[in-house]
Amino acid sequence: MRLAVIGTGYVGLVAGAGFADFGNDVVCVDLDDDRIRRLRQGEIPIHEPGLAELVRDNLDAGRLSFTTDTAAAVKGADVVILAVGTPMSEHDGAADLRFVDAAARDIGRALTGFAVIVTKSTVPVGTADRIRAIVAGETKHEFSVASNPEFLKEGDAVNDFMKPDRVVVGVADERAAKTLRALYAPFVRTNDRIMVMDVRSAELTKYASNAMLAVRISFMNELALLAERVGADIERVRKAVGADPRIGPKFLFPGPGFGGSCFPKDIRALAHTARGAGMVVEVVEAADRANQRQKKVLGGRVRDHFGGDLTGKRIAIWGLAFKPETDDIREAPALTVLADLREAGAHVVGYDPAAMPYIKAQVGDAIELAPNMYAAAERADALVLVTEWKQFRGADFRRLKDVMAQPVVFDGRNIWDPDTLRGLGFTYQCIGRAA
Ligand SMILES: NC(=O)c1ccc[n+]([C@@H]2O[C@H](COP(=O)([O-])OP(=O)(O)OC[C@H]3O[C@@H](n4cnc5c(N)ncnc54)[C@H](O)[C@@H]3O)[C@@H](O)[C@H]2O)c1
């Protein structure tokens, strides 16, 4: 099939390269000239395991190409995939559909015959109707608008995309259903995990999934705070609760609050959709409030440990990306921790295996960046672990203790063993485990 993918971010680039790998002829479009220039040379602008090889193989095979020209990409395409950003709008938390609208206009102008326009971006219920109206205003050709929400996880995006748990497809007609079934058939050969439904249900499914995961995290974060107050250990509680097959063990890890480009904006957008429909999604709004509180926990603990003032203190942060194996810092909890530490007067030194260029670009001199994890901890009065990259798990604590000014550790992800650290003479705090 001939595909055009609009937007080459985490979703568009992975989807474009993934579809090309299954033999489709894929043209990816982005407005960002520099990004497209780099991609043409096989240079990957994001950190995502396995993506560089996938893109280069398919570039070399001539199945994947990159352009800034939407019209050229859409010309003759059977399927046009929208993978542009849908950020949170500043004022009311709604999804900002500026990029979707603009892309829909460009697509409408560029159509040369029938195509299925597929929204992979996360968009509020009703957006397919909006896209249909915009495209219809620009073209005389027939087209169909479908929803195909993306469930990939940053950090494991290629695997998720190539071996999806399920493919959700929302369609308004049989022609679009047939096209999308054919497109996804090679991805789901072992068993049929393509779920075809109406467009609105597909649009809502994506928000329901993200909201469910966000609620689980906020729920456990809240219980972790309670566990501390009542003298319980959240790690024991987590394992026992997760052993119930009705609940399952995933997404129950307490931490410094969730961030990233999806959960925070998607739960706000869902709450906004609900309010627009005349109701309040109480559970979802509470998950958001609990997360705002949780993001302040780590910074507050460091401040309290030093008596409320961090002037003259050097504090190290390990892990700046919103989660391991990505360079994405959108809404990262580390940004809140950094702001809170700075506000209390600290000098902050950070290290992250992938996200440092982005942190530098966003906060400039507000943080000193170190070339490796131990260099960040040198002469530090405390170390705060915010993101659980693998290399931090096996830290050499003796070396760490040697380089630090004071052996004080705040483990924001409960990755270390409290007894080991305390045994080595560290003052150790984590989340939800009464000391
Ligand atoms: N990042 C994730 O893990 C993830 C997972 C599932 C779904 N989603 C959803 O997918 C969508 C895209 O997310 P992302 O993280 O890939 O976004 P992103 O911000 O990384 O990338 C979006 C890209 O689209 C480009 N763009 C914007 N308007 C364009 C236009 N008119 N024509 C061509 N290119 C255009 C931008 O330049 C940018 O490179 C969002 O709706 C997001 O919620 C993201």
Side-chain angles (χ1 to χ4, degrees):
M1 253 184 247
R2 203 161 134 33
L3 312 186
V5 178
I6 317 295
T8 60
Y10 291 84
V11 169
L13 188 55
V14 171
F19 284 130
D21 209 49
F22 276 107
N24 296 290
D25 179 10
V26 182
V27 185
C28 289
V29 189
D30 208 290
L31 298 175
D32 183 338
D33 292 335
D34 184 51
R35 200 175 182 88
I36 291 298
R37 192 183 45 73
R38 291 170 62 191
L39 282 165
R40 280 183 175 152
Q41 290 161 4
E43 219 184 290
I44 309 304
I46 53 179
H47 178 91
E48 194 56 64
L51 183 58
E53 295 82 337
L54 194 68
V55 169
R56 284 188 208 125
D57 286 355
N58 286 285
L59 264 176
D60 291 348
R63 289 186 295 261
L64 179 65
S65 61
F66 296 97
T67 180
T68 51
D69 183 352
T70 309
V74 170
K75 189 174 173 201
D78 304 297
V79 176
V80 181
I81 295 169
L82 267 171
V84 299
T86 49
M88 186 165 16
S89 62
E90 299 280 319
H91 50 290
D92 58 3
D96 179 346
L97 296 177
R98 232 173 337 144
F99 301 114
V100 171
D101 291 353
R105 267 192 297 278
D106 291 347
I107 294 166
R109 287 182 198 135
L111 283 181
T112 52
F114 178 81
V116 182
I117 300 169
V118 180
T119 312
K120 230 181 209 319
S121 301
T122 302
V123 293
V125 177
T127 303
D129 296 338
R130 177 179 172 128
I131 293 172
R132 196 171 297 116
I134 294 173
V135 176
E138 301 288 343
T139 187
K140 295 270 173 289
H141 292 287
E142 276 187 51
F143 64 92
S144 179
V145 179
S147 164
N148 169 220
E150 180 51 58
F151 298 101
L152 62 77
K153 303 183 281 302
E154 283 178 30
D156 202 18
V158 171
N159 267 331
D160 286 342
F161 188 78
M162 301 307 267
K163 294 181 216 132
D165 304 321
R166 75 290 202 203
V167 174
V168 171
V169 168
V171 288
D173 54 75
E174 195 41 45
R175 200 169 174 186
K178 227 174 131 196
T179 304
L180 292 178
R181 272 190 192 283
L183 179 63
Y184 275 108
F187 291 80
V188 293
R189 282 195 65 206
T190 19
N191 50 21
D192 186 9
R193 282 155 289 151
I194 303 181
M195 297 176 176
V196 179
M197 58 183 77
D198 62 281
V199 173
R200 285 179 176 247
S201 300
E203 288 171 333
L204 185 57
T205 297
K206 174 64 191 176
Y207 284 99
S209 299
N210 276 1
M212 173 67 90
L213 296 172
V215 165
R216 277 172 77 102
I217 297 172
S218 270
F219 175 75
M220 283 308 279
N221 280 338
E222 192 157 61
L223 282 206
L225 299 184
L226 178 62
E228 287 172 6
R229 290 187 182 224
V230 298
D233 181 339
I234 197 67
E235 289 303 317
R236 292 180 176 147
V237 175
R238 172 178 69 75
K239 285 176 194 150
V241 168
D244 182 334
R246 293 170 303 176
I247 297 173
K250 293 187 177 163
F251 275 79
L252 293 182
F253 292 86
F258 57 77
S261 67
C262 293
F263 291 0
K265 79 169 172 64
D266 291 348
I267 57 173
R268 296 246 170 114
L270 180 58
H272 187 268
T273 297
R275 284 181 181 266
M279 69 170 281
V280 175
V281 277
E282 304 280 1
V283 175
V284 175
E285 293 200 2
D288 188 14
R289 283 195 302 276
N291 195 51
Q292 299 312 311
R293 177 177 66 183
Q294 195 71 16
K295 281 181 151 184
K296 307 289 284 179
V297 165
L298 273 177
R301 290 202 175 157
V302 180
R303 207 177 47 231
D304 292 349
H305 175 83
F306 290 103
D309 184 12
L310 299 177
T311 310
K313 295 284 181 290
R314 190 178 172 90
I315 311 292
I317 297 183
W318 281 3
L320 303 164
F322 87 92
K323 67 174 183 178
E325 300 298 337
T326 183
D327 53 12
D328 198 343
I329 59 163
R330 289 177 279 187
E331 305 280 329
L335 292 170
T336 309
V337 175
L338 170 64
D340 291 349
L341 296 176
R342 296 233 332 141
E343 197 186 309
H347 176 81
V348 183
V349 190
Y351 171 72
D352 187 280
M356 294 205 290
Y358 298 94
I359 284 282
K360 187 87 214 156
Q362 185 159 330
V363 306
D365 293 338
I367 189 167
E368 179 186 332
L369 295 170
N372 62 61
M373 57 199 261
Y374 297 105
E378 255 167 46
R379 293 177 286 116
D381 295 289
L383 165 68
V384 189
L385 179 121
V386 183
T387 311
E388 71 281 28
W389 284 88
K390 274 194 220 89
Q391 62 183 262
F392 302 146
R393 288 175 190 270
D396 176 345
F397 296 113
R398 289 200 165 80
R399 180 170 171 196
L400 183 63
K401 197 172 168 208
D402 278 351
V403 299
M404 291 182 74
Q406 302 188 52
V408 179
V409 168
F410 296 85
D411 176 359
R413 300 280 179 175
N414 294 359
I415 62 169
W416 293 318
D417 175 42
D419 293 338
T420 306
L421 272 104
R422 290 186 186 124
L424 287 167
F426 282 92
T427 300
Y428 174 82
Q429 287 193 40
C430 51
I431 308 275
R433 314 182 81 173

